[in-house]
């Protein structure tokens, strides 16, 4: 049940789409039919899905929070095509891994990793610096090395080119002062702090696949979240 719930949250099963059949779920998860039926019943009772007689089960979305359409920063930049927003690719290539990113990617200190960094522009002003960090082998044979915006989301691009499947994101938010280069790129005073959002992308077994880093001037952004009280 939790895997299906995470897939709905991640957008793998968008609202309005049909879930796989019971037989498909039994084969995929190697569980019994009663287990699948029970999991689907819980999802239906909690409002995640609905059943339509003679058609199947369809996704409704997150219960009681469907109106909150804005995705979390890390998820949005994984799923949304780069070409959908005004942006400039400001850095592409292999670099020494920063300490925090190295920990999140589970790579050795001073290892070289791939980074793709974009400057996002809204209403004619720079608002965010978005960096995608990957192990070098995951960048090979992809269009991520191009200076042009992708016409599909990063998740879909890596899935089609490298066969990797993103399962969940572990998000961390910290505050720090910008470097001189970051302040210049974002057109912000050096005495204004940044909100740094790190999204560690993992597969179903928990293995790190990528890190999305979003830098937001603290005087222009606020982060809002919603979650059930259990």
């Amino acid at each position: 049940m939790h895997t299906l719930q995470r897939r709905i949250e991640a957008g793998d099963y968008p609202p309005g789409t049909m879930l796989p059949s019971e037989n498909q779920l039994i084969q995929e998860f190697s569980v019994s039919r009663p287990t699948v039926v029970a999991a689907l019943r819980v999802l239906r009772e909690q409002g995640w899905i609905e059943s339509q007689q003679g058609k199947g089960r369809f996704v409704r979305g997150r219960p009681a929070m469907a109106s909150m359409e804005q995705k979390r920063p890390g998820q949005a930049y994984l799923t949304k095509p780069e070409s959908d927003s005004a942006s400039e690719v400001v850095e592409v290539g292999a670099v020494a891994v920063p300490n925090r990113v190295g920990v999140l990617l589970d790579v050795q200190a001073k290892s070289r990793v791939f980074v793709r960094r974009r400057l996002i522009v809204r209403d004619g002003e720079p608002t965010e610096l978005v960096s995608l960090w990957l192990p070098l082998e995951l960048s090979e044979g992809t269009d991520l090395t191009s200076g042009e915006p992708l016409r599909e989301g990063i998740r879909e691009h890596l899935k089609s080119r490298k066969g990797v499947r993103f399962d969940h994101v572990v998000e961390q938010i910290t505050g720090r002062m910008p470097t001189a280069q970051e302040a210049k790129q974002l057109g912000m005073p050096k005495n204004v702090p940044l909100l740094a959002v790190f999204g560690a992308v993992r597969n179903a077994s928990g293995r790190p696949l990528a890190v999305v880093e979003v830098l937001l001037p603290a005087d222009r952004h606020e982060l809002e979240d919603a979650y059930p009280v259990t």
Side-chain angles (χ1 to χ4, degrees):
M1 181 191 75
H2 294 297
T3 299
L4 292 176
Q5 182 176 313
R6 286 201 302 268
R7 289 180 181 178
I8 294 172
E9 290 181 299
D12 290 335
Y13 300 144
T17 59
M18 182 184 294
L19 282 181
S21 67
E22 289 181 11
N23 288 335
Q24 289 172 321
L25 294 173
I26 290 169
Q27 293 178 2
E28 179 179 357
F29 296 106
S30 300
V31 295
S32 66
R33 185 175 298 277
T35 299
V36 169
V37 171
L40 292 172
R41 182 179 66 250
V42 172
L43 289 174
R44 186 182 69 251
E45 291 173 349
Q46 292 181 348
W48 292 89
I49 64 174
E50 62 181 0
S51 298
Q52 296 185 15
Q53 187 68 29
K55 294 183 178 180
R57 297 176 177 87
F58 292 81
V59 175
R60 296 182 61 189
R62 175 177 279 281
M65 291 187 243
S67 61
M68 297 195 65
E69 297 179 354
Q70 185 173 358
K71 297 178 180 178
R72 293 171 177 173
Q75 181 183 354
Y77 290 114
L78 288 171
T79 58
K80 186 178 179 181
E82 292 182 349
S83 55
D84 282 2
S85 59
S87 66
E88 176 189 358
V89 179
V90 295
E91 184 178 359
V92 172
V95 298
V97 63
N99 290 337
R100 179 181 288 270
V101 174
V103 171
L104 295 176
L105 280 179
D106 194 21
V107 300
Q108 293 183 351
K110 300 182 180 179
S111 296
R112 291 183 69 78
V113 296
F114 174 83
V115 63
R116 178 179 177 84
R117 181 169 291 122
R118 293 188 301 133
L119 180 65
I120 309 299
V121 178
R122 304 184 194 280
D123 298 325
E125 295 184 353
T127 59
E128 297 128 81
L129 267 175
V130 181
S131 301
L132 171 70
W133 303 89
L134 292 170
L136 288 177
E137 63 271 16
L138 275 188
S139 68
E140 297 170 353
T142 72
D143 292 341
L144 295 172
T145 57
S146 167
E148 297 298 321
L150 296 181
R151 297 187 178 276
E152 61 183 341
I154 291 169
R155 181 182 65 179
E156 289 304 314
H157 189 70
L158 286 174
K159 180 180 176 182
S160 63
R161 292 296 183 91
K162 306 297 289 188
V164 297
R165 294 185 63 88
F166 294 170
D167 183 78
H168 60 281
V169 177
V170 178
E171 198 166 85
Q172 301 174 353
I173 302 175
T174 64
R176 64 170 175 83
M177 301 306 294
T179 66
Q181 177 68 7
E182 291 165 348
K184 180 179 179 180
Q185 289 175 315
L186 288 166
M188 58 184 292
K190 296 180 181 179
N191 61 346
V192 172
L194 285 171
L195 294 174
V197 181
F198 292 89
V201 186
R202 301 177 181 177
N203 65 11
S205 65
R207 182 171 70 88
L209 296 173
V211 171
V212 177
E213 176 191 16
V214 185
L215 300 182
L216 307 163
D219 61 342
R220 306 178 204 167
H221 295 271
E222 63 180 29
L223 300 177
E224 183 181 43
D225 199 3
Y227 49 87
V229 178
T230 58

